[in-house]
Amino acid sequence: MTYRVDPHVKVLTDRVVERAKRAGLDAIVYAPHFTRLPETRERAAAYSDDDLLVIPAREVFTGTWRNRKHVLALGLEEPVPDFIPLETAMAEFERQGATVLVPHPEFANVSLSEADLRRYADVIDAIEIFNPRHFPWDNRRARDLADSLSLPPFTSSYAHLPRSVGVAHTALEAAIETEADLLEAFDDGVARRVIYDDGPYRWSTTASELGHLVYENTWEKVDRLFLSGTEPTHPQHIAYDGRFDDAAVY
């Protein structure tokens, strides 16, 4: 059997679900920025149905603003904040037995480096080898890293915009019915294919998503840092009960 999953989506609306189903997906992984895990779980459950499984996850922003390293964690039992050192986050993922996926490796200043990948190869379950926001040379570099480190591949739409859902997905050769089944498939490195649209629509998606990236790093960042108060996923937020106070990098 083939199970089609988009392992990294940032938006979740009726339109997103409709596009995912139209693309023939069986599941999407919902991991919005700066949103605490309980809220993500609740929203994912509200949009799941018999035709599309929506799985909650966290893309944790480790490190400082100048040297961010994003890691995607599925199957977390306890919340993990942003803005903590990479080693702290990885230790917490390992403690919780989370499924760890590496999005956009070595992209800009927001990704795990080759040295990071080598250091945490035993914790990492898969590495993204195609991202619609990337240019061809970025994706080639990611594929080379996955091959050289013998890490299983995956691809995702990395959709920040509803129209992007479905342009890329991972087809796992496994019988999957539940979230636990999907996590086990990634953990066990089951056979899979990375499937993506590389035609004109893909490049339209790339342009739209890169435009959104500019917005994320201009007005949205100003709003988050200076106008909206403490981020909900800041390690010193009251929601984390002081567990990560000493680990905060800013």
Side-chain angles (χ1 to χ4, degrees):
M1 297 183 65
T2 298
Y3 192 82
R4 297 170 293 275
V5 57
D6 184 341
H8 200 173
V9 169
K10 293 298 183 190
V11 286
L12 185 56
T13 63
D14 290 337
R15 183 182 172 197
V16 166
V17 170
E18 178 186 351
R19 289 189 66 88
K21 291 178 179 179
R22 194 161 64 239
L25 299 179
D26 298 299
I28 60 174
V29 175
Y30 175 53
H33 291 313
F34 308 114
T35 305
R36 288 198 296 271
L37 190 59
E39 181 179 339
T40 301
R41 281 180 180 147
E42 183 178 352
R43 190 168 179 83
Y47 280 92
S48 286
D49 59 30
D50 291 339
D51 297 318
L52 184 75
L53 178 63
V54 182
I55 297 166
R58 279 274 289 128
E59 185 184 25
V60 176
F61 282 26
T62 73
T64 65
W65 283 113
R66 291 182 178 227
N67 187 26
R68 290 173 287 167
K69 296 178 183 292
H70 298 183
V71 188
L72 182 63
L74 290 67
L76 289 171
E77 296 294 331
E78 303 171 23
V80 178
D82 296 309
F83 317 123
I84 58 177
L86 176 63
E87 55 267 27
T88 303
M90 286 300 210
E92 188 65 19
F93 298 154
E94 191 169 18
R95 182 185 73 81
Q96 295 190 37
T99 298
V100 178
L101 308 183
V102 177
H104 49 72
E106 290 208 333
F107 180 69
N109 68 333
V110 294
S111 311
L112 267 65
S113 65
E114 180 176 358
D116 297 324
L117 295 172
R118 292 187 182 280
R119 179 179 178 184
Y120 296 106
D122 291 341
V123 181
I124 295 167
D125 293 294
I127 180 173
E128 187 173 49
I129 65 168
F130 177 87
N131 186 305
R133 282 194 176 193
H134 288 183
F135 292 105
W137 50 87
D138 297 313
N139 289 320
R140 284 195 296 271
R141 174 59 175 157
R143 286 196 298 270
D144 290 344
L145 285 169
D147 289 343
S148 66
L149 296 170
S150 298
L151 287 169
F154 78 96
T155 187
S156 75
S157 68
Y158 199 47
H160 291 63
L161 302 170
R163 71 178 297 256
S164 304
V165 174
V167 299
H169 70 273
T170 302
L172 299 165
E173 296 181 13
I176 295 171
E177 295 183 359
T178 66
E179 176 182 350
D181 293 338
L182 178 63
L183 301 187
E184 184 177 0
F186 274 119
D187 292 344
D188 292 347
V190 301
R192 81 272 316 259
R193 290 175 294 131
V194 294
I195 299 172
Y196 52 87
D197 178 0
D198 206 18
Y201 187 80
R202 174 265 160 118
W203 288 107
S204 172
T205 300
T206 298
S208 298
E209 287 284 347
L210 287 175
H212 189 272
L213 180 64
V214 172
Y215 164 72
E216 280 185 309
N217 286 280
T218 52
W219 168 248
E220 187 180 54
K221 182 180 288 189
V222 170
D223 178 60
R224 187 170 61 249
L225 290 178
F226 302 110
L227 304 180
S228 300
T230 302
E231 294 93 340
T233 55
H234 191 282
Q236 294 177 343
H237 194 284
I238 191 173
Y240 298 101
D241 296 324
R243 290 183 56 224
F244 296 95
D245 283 359
D246 293 338
V249 295
Y250 88 89

